[in-house]
Amino acid sequence: MQQEALLKNSFYNLRNVYLTTAISVGYLLLSVLLVGFKTDQLVLIFIFNSLFYISAGTRRFILGFSIFIVYWILFDYMKAFPNYLFTEVHIKDLYHLEKSIFGTNHNGIKLTPNEYWKLNGTAFLDVLTGFFYLMWVPVPLAFATYLFFKNKEQFVRFSLTFVWVNLLGFVVYYAFPAAPPWYVQEHGFTFIAKTAGNTAGLARFDHYFNITLFQGIYSKGSNVFAAMPSLHSSYPVIVAYYGLKNRLGKINLFFLVVMIGIWFSAVYTSHHYTLDVLAGISCATIGIISFNYLVKNTRLKDFVRYFVKKI
């Protein structure tokens, strides 16, 4: 009996081994079924299991960041259920709406902001916007890491807000499939299912440094017809909000610059219309307000406390 209790309370107890193994195998099998086998899946399994068993500290860390892992998996699985199978894709109407609201006259021709910058881009802006667009992943994750070690409750709130905003964005993706500006530039207003991802204006960044960084990133995109809202534009809003909430001082200036830079880059590189960016900002704002409401008025606050204790 004593040996059984010791095994149960051990860091490497059988329950944990069985559970993590079942989750890992289940994830791999479901992934193969839905999106096919990729080495990324094995890398994710290896990282999770390694950190789970190395030490108590790394276990708490990977359990905390499992919130982001869930987001990544859901985003990846969207490939199995393209939104254009459920609702008509908005291409022409969105393009003309963008032009009517934000269009600018250039040499006697009215252009969308994307078209204007495609004609008037510079090498400096190509490089600058490329660096800004690279920050949409590292900045939120670096900020989350800071909060994990500094303030566990704020870390959990930030992470859950991040996922909640993404879920709201996914709902809009399926309710309002939308083609990005580069699609119109490449294919016109004709809908072409299974269109491959495109680096668009970010290709100029790759060409400048003679690399294939963005080409590699966008070849793994889940769905090109998920341009509205621009979740790239949502993420820095969440970071800036929690940065200001935690009174991080001058670092918040950096967050604000990154936020504005990503907004501009999304339009400059023809990955999003201005309307997509505004929708992304709205999505983040609604997500933050609704999450705070749910934490205050529902049992979500109990889950937050429970999760904080676990990490």
Side-chain angles (χ1 to χ4, degrees), residues 94-95 98 112 114-115 179-188 200 227 266-267 269-274 276:
L94 192 57
Y95 169 82
E98 174 81 3
T112 65
N114 312 98
E115 293 169 332
W182 64 257
Y183 181 90
V184 175
Q185 295 167 9
E186 294 285 331
H187 307 290
V267 177
T269 60
S270 289
H271 276 276
H272 291 284
Y273 291 116
T274 309
D276 301 336

PDB file of all heavy atoms in Angstrom, residues 94-95 98 112 114-115 179-188 200 227 266-267 269-274 276:
ATOM      1  N   LEU A  94     -15.613  42.863 -51.360  1.00  0.00           N
ATOM      2  CA  LEU A  94     -14.688  43.376 -50.352  1.00  0.00           C
ATOM      3  C   LEU A  94     -13.663  44.325 -50.973  1.00  0.00           C
ATOM      4  O   LEU A  94     -13.328  45.373 -50.404  1.00  0.00           O
ATOM      5  CB  LEU A  94     -13.974  42.203 -49.672  1.00  0.00           C
ATOM      6  CG  LEU A  94     -13.172  42.515 -48.409  1.00  0.00           C
ATOM      7  CD1 LEU A  94     -14.039  43.165 -47.348  1.00  0.00           C
ATOM      8  CD2 LEU A  94     -12.536  41.240 -47.864  1.00  0.00           C
ATOM      9  N   TYR A  95     -13.206  43.969 -52.158  1.00  0.00           N
ATOM     10  CA  TYR A  95     -12.241  44.813 -52.878  1.00  0.00           C
ATOM     11  C   TYR A  95     -12.848  46.188 -53.168  1.00  0.00           C
ATOM     12  O   TYR A  95     -12.220  47.225 -52.927  1.00  0.00           O
ATOM     13  CB  TYR A  95     -11.833  44.130 -54.177  1.00  0.00           C
ATOM     14  CG  TYR A  95     -11.057  45.019 -55.128  1.00  0.00           C
ATOM     15  CD1 TYR A  95      -9.685  45.211 -54.976  1.00  0.00           C
ATOM     16  CD2 TYR A  95     -11.702  45.673 -56.181  1.00  0.00           C
ATOM     17  CE1 TYR A  95      -8.971  46.030 -55.845  1.00  0.00           C
ATOM     18  CE2 TYR A  95     -10.999  46.491 -57.052  1.00  0.00           C
ATOM     19  CZ  TYR A  95      -9.640  46.667 -56.881  1.00  0.00           C
ATOM     20  OH  TYR A  95      -8.942  47.478 -57.739  1.00  0.00           O
ATOM     21  N   GLU A  98     -13.353  48.278 -49.984  1.00  0.00           N
ATOM     22  CA  GLU A  98     -12.073  48.848 -49.564  1.00  0.00           C
ATOM     23  C   GLU A  98     -11.729  50.077 -50.407  1.00  0.00           C
ATOM     24  O   GLU A  98     -11.312  51.115 -49.881  1.00  0.00           O
ATOM     25  CB  GLU A  98     -10.970  47.796 -49.698  1.00  0.00           C
ATOM     26  CG  GLU A  98      -9.563  48.293 -49.435  1.00  0.00           C
ATOM     27  CD  GLU A  98      -9.201  48.394 -47.974  1.00  0.00           C
ATOM     28  OE1 GLU A  98     -10.056  48.022 -47.142  1.00  0.00           O
ATOM     29  OE2 GLU A  98      -8.084  48.840 -47.653  1.00  0.00           O
ATOM     30  N   THR A 112      -6.693  50.924 -54.340  1.00  0.00           N
ATOM     31  CA  THR A 112      -6.784  50.548 -52.929  1.00  0.00           C
ATOM     32  C   THR A 112      -5.432  50.857 -52.288  1.00  0.00           C
ATOM     33  O   THR A 112      -4.417  50.979 -52.984  1.00  0.00           O
ATOM     34  CB  THR A 112      -7.092  49.055 -52.763  1.00  0.00           C
ATOM     35  OG1 THR A 112      -5.980  48.301 -53.265  1.00  0.00           O
ATOM     36  CG2 THR A 112      -8.366  48.666 -53.490  1.00  0.00           C
ATOM     37  N   ASN A 114      -3.471  48.874 -50.833  1.00  0.00           N
ATOM     38  CA  ASN A 114      -2.554  47.794 -51.202  1.00  0.00           C
ATOM     39  C   ASN A 114      -1.953  48.037 -52.582  1.00  0.00           C
ATOM     40  O   ASN A 114      -0.743  47.863 -52.793  1.00  0.00           O
ATOM     41  CB  ASN A 114      -3.279  46.440 -51.205  1.00  0.00           C
ATOM     42  CG  ASN A 114      -4.101  46.218 -49.958  1.00  0.00           C
ATOM     43  OD1 ASN A 114      -5.301  46.439 -49.965  1.00  0.00           O
ATOM     44  ND2 ASN A 114      -3.451  45.796 -48.884  1.00  0.00           N
ATOM     45  N   GLU A 115      -2.806  48.434 -53.518  1.00  0.00           N
ATOM     46  CA  GLU A 115      -2.333  48.693 -54.878  1.00  0.00           C
ATOM     47  C   GLU A 115      -1.387  49.878 -54.914  1.00  0.00           C
ATOM     48  O   GLU A 115      -0.391  49.869 -55.645  1.00  0.00           O
ATOM     49  CB  GLU A 115      -3.536  48.925 -55.802  1.00  0.00           C
ATOM     50  CG  GLU A 115      -4.391  47.681 -56.007  1.00  0.00           C
ATOM     51  CD  GLU A 115      -5.713  47.995 -56.692  1.00  0.00           C
ATOM     52  OE1 GLU A 115      -6.209  49.137 -56.550  1.00  0.00           O
ATOM     53  OE2 GLU A 115      -6.249  47.091 -57.357  1.00  0.00           O
ATOM     54  N   ALA A 179     -11.162  36.804 -49.323  1.00  0.00           N
ATOM     55  CA  ALA A 179      -9.888  36.694 -50.024  1.00  0.00           C
ATOM     56  C   ALA A 179      -8.998  37.876 -49.660  1.00  0.00           C
ATOM     57  O   ALA A 179      -9.478  39.002 -49.510  1.00  0.00           O
ATOM     58  CB  ALA A 179     -10.114  36.658 -51.528  1.00  0.00           C
ATOM     59  N   PRO A 180      -7.705  37.666 -49.536  1.00  0.00           N
ATOM     60  CA  PRO A 180      -6.775  38.768 -49.255  1.00  0.00           C
ATOM     61  C   PRO A 180      -6.505  39.583 -50.510  1.00  0.00           C
ATOM     62  O   PRO A 180      -6.804  39.133 -51.630  1.00  0.00           O
ATOM     63  CB  PRO A 180      -5.514  38.033 -48.785  1.00  0.00           C
ATOM     64  CG  PRO A 180      -5.578  36.708 -49.495  1.00  0.00           C
ATOM     65  CD  PRO A 180      -7.026  36.351 -49.582  1.00  0.00           C
ATOM     66  N   PRO A 181      -5.937  40.763 -50.369  1.00  0.00           N
ATOM     67  CA  PRO A 181      -5.649  41.610 -51.541  1.00  0.00           C
ATOM     68  C   PRO A 181      -4.766  40.933 -52.580  1.00  0.00           C
ATOM     69  O   PRO A 181      -4.982  41.097 -53.789  1.00  0.00           O
ATOM     70  CB  PRO A 181      -4.951  42.823 -50.929  1.00  0.00           C
ATOM     71  CG  PRO A 181      -5.407  42.862 -49.516  1.00  0.00           C
ATOM     72  CD  PRO A 181      -5.601  41.443 -49.101  1.00  0.00           C
ATOM     73  N   TRP A 182      -3.753  40.173 -52.131  1.00  0.00           N
ATOM     74  CA  TRP A 182      -2.854  39.551 -53.109  1.00  0.00           C
ATOM     75  C   TRP A 182      -3.598  38.562 -54.002  1.00  0.00           C
ATOM     76  O   TRP A 182      -3.194  38.329 -55.142  1.00  0.00           O
ATOM     77  CB  TRP A 182      -1.671  38.861 -52.420  1.00  0.00           C
ATOM     78  CG  TRP A 182      -2.016  37.694 -51.527  1.00  0.00           C
ATOM     79  CD1 TRP A 182      -2.067  37.691 -50.166  1.00  0.00           C
ATOM     80  CD2 TRP A 182      -2.346  36.355 -51.943  1.00  0.00           C
ATOM     81  NE1 TRP A 182      -2.414  36.443 -49.700  1.00  0.00           N
ATOM     82  CE2 TRP A 182      -2.583  35.602 -50.771  1.00  0.00           C
ATOM     83  CE3 TRP A 182      -2.466  35.724 -53.177  1.00  0.00           C
ATOM     84  CZ2 TRP A 182      -2.938  34.249 -50.802  1.00  0.00           C
ATOM     85  CZ3 TRP A 182      -2.822  34.368 -53.220  1.00  0.00           C
ATOM     86  CH2 TRP A 182      -3.044  33.657 -52.036  1.00  0.00           C
ATOM     87  N   TYR A 183      -4.694  37.991 -53.492  1.00  0.00           N
ATOM     88  CA  TYR A 183      -5.461  37.046 -54.303  1.00  0.00           C
ATOM     89  C   TYR A 183      -6.053  37.752 -55.512  1.00  0.00           C
ATOM     90  O   TYR A 183      -6.005  37.229 -56.634  1.00  0.00           O
ATOM     91  CB  TYR A 183      -6.575  36.410 -53.464  1.00  0.00           C
ATOM     92  CG  TYR A 183      -7.391  35.398 -54.237  1.00  0.00           C
ATOM     93  CD1 TYR A 183      -7.032  34.055 -54.253  1.00  0.00           C
ATOM     94  CD2 TYR A 183      -8.517  35.786 -54.956  1.00  0.00           C
ATOM     95  CE1 TYR A 183      -7.769  33.127 -54.972  1.00  0.00           C
ATOM     96  CE2 TYR A 183      -9.260  34.874 -55.681  1.00  0.00           C
ATOM     97  CZ  TYR A 183      -8.881  33.540 -55.685  1.00  0.00           C
ATOM     98  OH  TYR A 183      -9.610  32.622 -56.411  1.00  0.00           O
ATOM     99  N   VAL A 184      -6.613  38.939 -55.304  1.00  0.00           N
ATOM    100  CA  VAL A 184      -7.179  39.722 -56.407  1.00  0.00           C
ATOM    101  C   VAL A 184      -6.066  40.114 -57.381  1.00  0.00           C
ATOM    102  O   VAL A 184      -6.250  40.088 -58.609  1.00  0.00           O
ATOM    103  CB  VAL A 184      -7.902  40.973 -55.867  1.00  0.00           C
ATOM    104  CG1 VAL A 184      -8.375  41.853 -57.012  1.00  0.00           C
ATOM    105  CG2 VAL A 184      -9.077  40.563 -54.991  1.00  0.00           C
ATOM    106  N   GLN A 185      -4.913  40.474 -56.851  1.00  0.00           N
ATOM    107  CA  GLN A 185      -3.784  40.845 -57.705  1.00  0.00           C
ATOM    108  C   GLN A 185      -3.312  39.673 -58.561  1.00  0.00           C
ATOM    109  O   GLN A 185      -2.876  39.856 -59.701  1.00  0.00           O
ATOM    110  CB  GLN A 185      -2.632  41.353 -56.835  1.00  0.00           C
ATOM    111  CG  GLN A 185      -2.941  42.639 -56.083  1.00  0.00           C
ATOM    112  CD  GLN A 185      -1.924  42.960 -54.998  1.00  0.00           C
ATOM    113  OE1 GLN A 185      -0.883  42.301 -54.902  1.00  0.00           O
ATOM    114  NE2 GLN A 185      -2.216  43.949 -54.169  1.00  0.00           N
ATOM    115  N   GLU A 186      -3.419  38.459 -58.034  1.00  0.00           N
ATOM    116  CA  GLU A 186      -2.934  37.272 -58.736  1.00  0.00           C
ATOM    117  C   GLU A 186      -4.005  36.605 -59.605  1.00  0.00           C
ATOM    118  O   GLU A 186      -3.726  36.118 -60.697  1.00  0.00           O
ATOM    119  CB  GLU A 186      -2.417  36.239 -57.727  1.00  0.00           C
ATOM    120  CG  GLU A 186      -1.183  36.673 -56.953  1.00  0.00           C
ATOM    121  CD  GLU A 186       0.069  36.618 -57.793  1.00  0.00           C
ATOM    122  OE1 GLU A 186       0.126  35.780 -58.716  1.00  0.00           O
ATOM    123  OE2 GLU A 186       1.001  37.405 -57.527  1.00  0.00           O
ATOM    124  N   HIS A 187      -5.259  36.581 -59.109  1.00  0.00           N
ATOM    125  CA  HIS A 187      -6.297  35.781 -59.761  1.00  0.00           C
ATOM    126  C   HIS A 187      -7.551  36.564 -60.147  1.00  0.00           C
ATOM    127  O   HIS A 187      -8.490  35.977 -60.691  1.00  0.00           O
ATOM    128  CB  HIS A 187      -6.718  34.623 -58.845  1.00  0.00           C
ATOM    129  CG  HIS A 187      -5.572  33.787 -58.360  1.00  0.00           C
ATOM    130  ND1 HIS A 187      -4.849  32.954 -59.188  1.00  0.00           N
ATOM    131  CD2 HIS A 187      -5.015  33.660 -57.119  1.00  0.00           C
ATOM    132  CE1 HIS A 187      -3.906  32.341 -58.492  1.00  0.00           C
ATOM    133  NE2 HIS A 187      -3.977  32.757 -57.237  1.00  0.00           N
ATOM    134  N   GLY A 188      -7.584  37.844 -59.853  1.00  0.00           N
ATOM    135  CA  GLY A 188      -8.787  38.608 -60.162  1.00  0.00           C
ATOM    136  C   GLY A 188      -9.917  38.255 -59.219  1.00  0.00           C
ATOM    137  O   GLY A 188      -9.689  37.910 -58.051  1.00  0.00           O
ATOM    138  N   ALA A 200       3.120  37.136 -51.079  1.00  0.00           N
ATOM    139  CA  ALA A 200       2.737  38.492 -51.519  1.00  0.00           C
ATOM    140  C   ALA A 200       3.917  39.454 -51.361  1.00  0.00           C
ATOM    141  O   ALA A 200       5.032  39.124 -51.732  1.00  0.00           O
ATOM    142  CB  ALA A 200       1.510  38.960 -50.741  1.00  0.00           C
ATOM    143  N   ALA A 227      -8.917  35.989 -44.479  1.00  0.00           N
ATOM    144  CA  ALA A 227      -8.213  37.267 -44.356  1.00  0.00           C
ATOM    145  C   ALA A 227      -8.898  38.236 -43.391  1.00  0.00           C
ATOM    146  O   ALA A 227      -8.266  39.174 -42.916  1.00  0.00           O
ATOM    147  CB  ALA A 227      -8.086  37.929 -45.727  1.00  0.00           C
ATOM    148  N   ALA A 266       0.633  44.816 -42.658  1.00  0.00           N
ATOM    149  CA  ALA A 266      -0.416  43.948 -43.194  1.00  0.00           C
ATOM    150  C   ALA A 266      -0.982  44.511 -44.494  1.00  0.00           C
ATOM    151  O   ALA A 266      -1.252  43.771 -45.449  1.00  0.00           O
ATOM    152  CB  ALA A 266      -1.533  43.782 -42.158  1.00  0.00           C
ATOM    153  N   VAL A 267      -1.125  45.832 -44.545  1.00  0.00           N
ATOM    154  CA  VAL A 267      -1.649  46.493 -45.745  1.00  0.00           C
ATOM    155  C   VAL A 267      -0.555  46.660 -46.790  1.00  0.00           C
ATOM    156  O   VAL A 267      -0.757  46.378 -47.977  1.00  0.00           O
ATOM    157  CB  VAL A 267      -2.259  47.866 -45.372  1.00  0.00           C
ATOM    158  CG1 VAL A 267      -2.729  48.595 -46.630  1.00  0.00           C
ATOM    159  CG2 VAL A 267      -3.424  47.689 -44.401  1.00  0.00           C
ATOM    160  N   THR A 269       2.081  44.951 -47.433  1.00  0.00           N
ATOM    161  CA  THR A 269       2.499  43.706 -48.088  1.00  0.00           C
ATOM    162  C   THR A 269       1.362  43.011 -48.834  1.00  0.00           C
ATOM    163  O   THR A 269       1.552  41.913 -49.359  1.00  0.00           O
ATOM    164  CB  THR A 269       3.074  42.730 -47.048  1.00  0.00           C
ATOM    165  OG1 THR A 269       2.068  42.426 -46.060  1.00  0.00           O
ATOM    166  CG2 THR A 269       4.289  43.325 -46.356  1.00  0.00           C
ATOM    167  N   SER A 270       0.179  43.632 -48.875  1.00  0.00           N
ATOM    168  CA  SER A 270      -0.997  43.084 -49.575  1.00  0.00           C
ATOM    169  C   SER A 270      -1.521  41.790 -48.964  1.00  0.00           C
ATOM    170  O   SER A 270      -2.186  41.001 -49.629  1.00  0.00           O
ATOM    171  CB  SER A 270      -0.684  42.846 -51.062  1.00  0.00           C
ATOM    172  OG  SER A 270      -0.566  44.069 -51.741  1.00  0.00           O
ATOM    173  N   HIS A 271      -1.252  41.593 -47.676  1.00  0.00           N
ATOM    174  CA  HIS A 271      -1.827  40.426 -47.002  1.00  0.00           C
ATOM    175  C   HIS A 271      -3.217  40.730 -46.449  1.00  0.00           C
ATOM    176  O   HIS A 271      -4.009  39.803 -46.234  1.00  0.00           O
ATOM    177  CB  HIS A 271      -0.903  39.945 -45.884  1.00  0.00           C
ATOM    178  CG  HIS A 271       0.182  39.044 -46.384  1.00  0.00           C
ATOM    179  ND1 HIS A 271      -0.005  37.694 -46.584  1.00  0.00           N
ATOM    180  CD2 HIS A 271       1.449  39.298 -46.762  1.00  0.00           C
ATOM    181  CE1 HIS A 271       1.103  37.161 -47.053  1.00  0.00           C
ATOM    182  NE2 HIS A 271       2.005  38.104 -47.177  1.00  0.00           N
ATOM    183  N   HIS A 272      -3.498  41.999 -46.222  1.00  0.00           N
ATOM    184  CA  HIS A 272      -4.804  42.367 -45.683  1.00  0.00           C
ATOM    185  C   HIS A 272      -5.239  43.728 -46.212  1.00  0.00           C
ATOM    186  O   HIS A 272      -4.405  44.600 -46.501  1.00  0.00           O
ATOM    187  CB  HIS A 272      -4.763  42.426 -44.151  1.00  0.00           C
ATOM    188  CG  HIS A 272      -4.605  41.093 -43.505  1.00  0.00           C
ATOM    189  ND1 HIS A 272      -5.629  40.187 -43.396  1.00  0.00           N
ATOM    190  CD2 HIS A 272      -3.510  40.506 -42.935  1.00  0.00           C
ATOM    191  CE1 HIS A 272      -5.185  39.095 -42.775  1.00  0.00           C
ATOM    192  NE2 HIS A 272      -3.913  39.263 -42.495  1.00  0.00           N
ATOM    193  N   TYR A 273      -6.562  43.874 -46.318  1.00  0.00           N
ATOM    194  CA  TYR A 273      -7.139  45.182 -46.577  1.00  0.00           C
ATOM    195  C   TYR A 273      -7.140  45.980 -45.270  1.00  0.00           C
ATOM    196  O   TYR A 273      -7.024  45.404 -44.175  1.00  0.00           O
ATOM    197  CB  TYR A 273      -8.577  45.046 -47.081  1.00  0.00           C
ATOM    198  CG  TYR A 273      -8.715  44.445 -48.448  1.00  0.00           C
ATOM    199  CD1 TYR A 273      -9.358  43.217 -48.628  1.00  0.00           C
ATOM    200  CD2 TYR A 273      -8.224  45.099 -49.575  1.00  0.00           C
ATOM    201  CE1 TYR A 273      -9.510  42.663 -49.896  1.00  0.00           C
ATOM    202  CE2 TYR A 273      -8.369  44.556 -50.843  1.00  0.00           C
ATOM    203  CZ  TYR A 273      -9.013  43.337 -50.995  1.00  0.00           C
ATOM    204  OH  TYR A 273      -9.157  42.786 -52.250  1.00  0.00           O
ATOM    205  N   THR A 274      -7.319  47.277 -45.400  1.00  0.00           N
ATOM    206  CA  THR A 274      -7.496  48.108 -44.208  1.00  0.00           C
ATOM    207  C   THR A 274      -8.709  47.634 -43.424  1.00  0.00           C
ATOM    208  O   THR A 274      -8.705  47.645 -42.183  1.00  0.00           O
ATOM    209  CB  THR A 274      -7.682  49.590 -44.606  1.00  0.00           C
ATOM    210  OG1 THR A 274      -6.638  49.977 -45.502  1.00  0.00           O
ATOM    211  CG2 THR A 274      -7.676  50.487 -43.385  1.00  0.00           C
ATOM    212  N   ASP A 276      -9.716  44.589 -43.125  1.00  0.00           N
ATOM    213  CA  ASP A 276      -9.318  43.404 -42.366  1.00  0.00           C
ATOM    214  C   ASP A 276      -8.618  43.803 -41.070  1.00  0.00           C
ATOM    215  O   ASP A 276      -8.831  43.195 -40.013  1.00  0.00           O
ATOM    216  CB  ASP A 276      -8.360  42.537 -43.191  1.00  0.00           C
ATOM    217  CG  ASP A 276      -8.953  42.068 -44.501  1.00  0.00           C
ATOM    218  OD1 ASP A 276     -10.186  42.004 -44.601  1.00  0.00           O
ATOM    219  OD2 ASP A 276      -8.171  41.773 -45.424  1.00  0.00           O
TER     220      ASP A 276
END
